[in-house]
């Protein structure tokens, strides 16, 4: 019971104590294409998010060219300041192995053929029905100074280096975002946890919370937070429309931290349970697809101001076709009336951005596209089109389920892209909440 | 005439000579939210792309926390190595002016009230119908050691610092991507050009080229390239489906470089004219909207595998509603037949991913959504759903205009997101090309 646990625990400044366990690390992104602005780096964010629950904080991110001097300088500087350095990129078969040679300059060793890497590459190529070529074979040449972690998502192996004094670790990862993300989840994060905290059990649970601001949530959880054992910590990660609340715990006593962590999660549930929409990390669209799939319901969308963004976010998820029938993007009023069946008199009387119209859009989409559920949006994304009555950012959203239709008025801040994104998220969340009673 | 120009010009290694004019600069991104992985940095790419045509090459990108020591160290290190440093972020009214104080630590000066900044902020707030608050007023406190460039897109002023020896410049820009992008285009890039090359005229023209690989394009332009004057340079910027070819020129003789640059552009036109779809930089969706608007034509889309992404990309552009009627995302076959009017017998006979179906989708979208033109997509985005006949990445696209319908078969590489993105770009480009004869 949570009250018992509180009674025996001293009230301490939990966060301060926990933060003293925080360790900083550096990320080095290698790639001309990022310096040129041709590609946006998303790997550093993936790495930061993957290591945060283990108590690692990103000290700095440095992006350098595919150039031996630049790589070497960045690596030596980072190793001198941080116990852990993660690099991505500079490993493709066309990169002339600059990164490998540069890392050998720092860690020693020589390039040797590693048959296990070639085997892994052959397996991946066979699955994709591709033939291996000579360039790809060079991926199997790895420095003797590193330990290989097989890359299950691509051909460049993950290489784990340690300094001679074993005080500093460098993990060299591939630059392809899909491979980096996959290998973080399946191998690298766990190895880092084992290497730096071999005797410490690390636990984390993510709650997705909606319908409250970050500061209001923190206020409601103030008592829970101040009662936390020093081995526990609450992390707030706000995004528009949705707050990720992470309950982190780490301790050398596995049994103790499991009990304390479960109690802390229970306390969060007890205090803000009605605001929680998920007990694991996921996007609103993933949660919605899961909720619909488990209920055997089909989805349609009717989008005016969001212009297809909701459908796009849903269909980025593999397997969406199980649940998603389709969408009508009704930018022109004639599409709202002609395809979705909105009453032209209501558009005339209330305007296209109105509760009446957005409800008819949701119901029309479900009916016309043969779905059980639907979301709809109608609003003013800007920069033009606003009025004193309905300024830019005014958006009506609706969610339809077999139990009925609900609508909500939003005032979304920011420019056109932010209004579209926020309205899309809120519409997905509105249907997700409506499904709780279906 | 280009042949005359060639005759009098020596054949030199144009690129090497031009590159010797290249100068390197550093970008410092300030922001805890980026180190935490909550926000993806897009400012560094904007800056790199904006300065490249002026001959600036990004030497490194460093991301640091909203922390005085971290900012100061990164700034001093960058200033010691580069003549130009651009920082973004750390300037919001809630950031306690850490960045301003840190920059005063480096450049000297003290915070004073600048009435012109307050005036600018008041103007921006008035336009948005907002009231100014005390926190926002602090934006008007600026170091005496900097020169202010008024921010036309937000409240934090752009600050221009120079070292005492006038050898190094630091430009501090706001972190909001929309403000950074706007101020680069309207003020900052020009000031940098004037400051570092006051007597040099810099010219650049971007051609958008499609239907050819980068290496094949370079081969066709080999003769043009080798004949270039050392003051000229061709830059290839490939993206999936589209190559940006930039003709850069810079020289102290304004008349001479204008003539040579025009001749080089003419030579490119003469050699690969049939592949050029634009003579200025823009996205395919911007080009398409412009082409439709100038012809008074309306657009619809019918999307299966792209799932609304084409509509989303179009509606991200302000003013799209002039041209864009709407879209039907027909994920389920019932939507293809019921809403778009595709013949069920053709789906049965040829499959949903077929030329016959995608043509009917395009024509159906135009007819049902009251548009003159339409694009349609039907394919297998993966990872599931592929077969030996139609592997993942197989996509049929179609473009419909008043002159008729054309269709094309694509084989898109990569994962689900890349297939969706590539198919969207190709569909937009197919309609754009079809419009050339309308």
């Amino acid at each position: 019971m949570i009250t018992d646990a509180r009674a025996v625990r001293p009230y301490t400044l939990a966060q301060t104590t926990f933060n003293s366990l925080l360790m900083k690390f550096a990320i080095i992104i290698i790639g001309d294409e990022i310096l040129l602005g041709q590609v946006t780096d998303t790997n550093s964010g993936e790495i930061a998010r993957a290591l945060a629950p283990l108590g690692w904080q990103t000290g700095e991110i440095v992006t350098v060219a595919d150039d031996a001097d630049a790589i070497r300088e960045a690596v030596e500087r980072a190793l001198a300041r941080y116990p852990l350095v993660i690099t991505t990129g500079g490993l493709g078969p066309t990169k002339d192995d600059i990164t490998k040679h540069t890392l050998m300059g720092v860690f020693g060793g020589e390039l040797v053929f590693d048959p296990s890497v070639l085997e892994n590459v052959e397996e991946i190529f066979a699955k994709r029905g591709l033939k291996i070529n000579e360039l790809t074979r060079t991926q199997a040449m790895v420095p003797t100074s590193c330990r290989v972690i097989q890359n299950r998502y691509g051909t460049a192996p993950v290489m784990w280096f340690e300094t001679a004094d074993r005080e500093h670790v460098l993990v060299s990862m591939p630059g392809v975002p899909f491979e980096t993300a996959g290998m973080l989840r399946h191998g690298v994060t766990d190895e880092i946890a084992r290497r730096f905290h071999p005797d410490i059990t690390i636990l984390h649970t993510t709650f997705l919370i909606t319908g409250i601001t970050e500061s209001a949530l923190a206020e409601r959880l103030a008592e829970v937070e101040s009662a936390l054992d020093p081995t526990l910590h609450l992390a707030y990660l706000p995004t528009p429309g949705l707050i990720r609340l992470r309950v982190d715990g780490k301790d050398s006593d596995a049994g103790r931290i499991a009990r304390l962590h479960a109690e802390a999660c229970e306390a969060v549930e007890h205090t803000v349970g009605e605001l929680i929409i998920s007990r694991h990390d996921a996007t609103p669209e993933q949660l919605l697809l899961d909720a619909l799939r488990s209920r055997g319901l089909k989805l349609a969308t009717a989008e005016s101001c969001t212009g297809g963004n909701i459908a796009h976010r849903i269909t980025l998820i593999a397997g969406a076709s199980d649940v998603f029938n389709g969408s009508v993007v009704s930018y022109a009023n004639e599409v709202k009336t002609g395809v979705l069946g909105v009453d032209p008199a209501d558009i005339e009387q209330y305007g296209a951005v109105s509760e009446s119209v957005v409800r008819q859009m949701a119901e029309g989409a479900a009916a016309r596209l043969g779905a059980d559920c639907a979301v709809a949006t109608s609003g003013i994304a800007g920069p033009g089109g606003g009025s004193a009555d309905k300024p830019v950012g005014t958006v009506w959203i609706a969610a339809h389920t077999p139990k009925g239709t609900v609508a909500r008025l939003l005032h979304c801040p920011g420019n056109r892209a932010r209004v579209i994104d926020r309205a899309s998220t809120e519409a997905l969340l509105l249907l997700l909440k409506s499904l709780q009673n279906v």
Side-chain angles (χ1 to χ4, degrees), chain A residues 6-77:
Chain A
R6 271 187 200 171
V8 298
R9 251 185 288 156
Y11 284 70
T12 56
L13 283 170
Q15 193 163 345
T16 315
T17 319
F18 191 94
N19 276 344
S20 70
L21 289 177
L22 275 182
M23 293 168 77
K24 289 200 179 182
F25 75 110
I27 301 172
I28 300 174
I29 306 292
I30 302 167
D32 291 338
E33 67 283 10
I34 291 157
L35 292 178
L36 288 167
Q38 288 175 358
V39 170
T40 299
D41 158 50
T42 54
N43 283 339
S44 59
E46 281 285 347
I47 296 167
R49 290 191 297 274
L51 292 196
L54 307 185
W56 287 97
Q57 192 179 326
T58 316
E60 61 188 278
I61 306 164
V62 181
T63 305
V64 296
D66 288 303
D67 168 89
D69 290 342
I71 296 169
R72 175 154 190 153
E73 198 202 331
V75 164
E76 288 184 336
R77 203 169 155 274

Side-chain angles (χ1 to χ4, degrees), chain A residues 157-169:
Chain A
V158 174
M159 296 179 290
W160 181 288
F161 294 88
E162 305 216 359
T163 50
D165 59 8
R166 293 194 35 91
E167 297 255 312
H168 303 267
V169 169

